[in-house]
Amino acid sequence: MYEPIRTKSVHTTADDADFPHRTREEELDIQLAGHLAALLAVTDELGLGPAGDRIAEQVARLRGAPPARHAGLTEASPAVLHRRAHALAGRALVVAASRADTAAAILAAERMDAHAAATEVTDAPSRLVGAH
């Protein structure tokens, strides 16, 4: 009743292709290293040397080579930098949790806490309570 398909379907998988494939774990490693490297840049700009060293160790572990340390400045205020670092640490935490990387997850959670506390301190003077 139906004629058999004589050509290859366009919906076949690309597993037979000649280009290299990465596993999900490799993709998550790359993503996590990228988030941590961005966090490292902000951490270095804030002048947080010991925290930056810990982040650099994790980036080196994931990439197999030490990361380039941040050399330029963005001229952003410390409050903005702490909020940016908090967001980056949150992204790193999500990826670290999805790949079950305990060391990176703990580091990211610690950095989130530190930057959240620093954001509260830098935002505190701008809050006026009961001033009318």
Side-chain angles (χ1 to χ4, degrees):
M1 178 167 226
Y2 294 104
E3 185 175 339
I5 298 173
R6 296 183 183 160
T7 61
K8 249 186 166 176
S9 171
V10 296
H11 301 288
T12 58
T13 61
D15 290 339
D16 298 332
D18 291 336
F19 57 89
H21 296 280
R22 288 192 282 253
T23 65
R24 179 176 185 275
E25 291 78 21
E26 291 171 328
E27 289 291 340
L28 289 173
D29 283 349
I30 292 167
Q31 191 176 34
L32 179 57
H35 290 314
L36 289 174
L39 178 60
L40 176 61
V42 177
T43 303
D44 281 349
E45 187 168 355
L46 283 166
L48 305 174
D53 294 341
R54 289 184 59 214
I55 296 168
E57 288 173 10
Q58 291 299 316
V59 174
R61 178 181 61 85
L62 291 165
R63 289 188 176 162
R69 299 298 290 255
H70 186 63
L73 299 176
T74 62
E75 303 299 324
S77 70
V80 170
L81 292 173
H82 282 295
R83 281 192 288 276
R84 187 178 302 154
H86 184 269
L88 289 166
R91 291 182 190 127
L93 178 59
V94 169
V95 177
S98 69
R99 70 177 294 279
D101 187 333
T102 307
I106 290 170
L107 176 62
E110 289 173 356
R111 297 315 311 149
M112 282 185 72
D113 289 344
H115 292 294
T119 301
E120 289 176 8
V121 169
T122 56
D123 287 346
S126 64
R127 294 186 191 145
L128 297 176
V129 178
H132 290 294

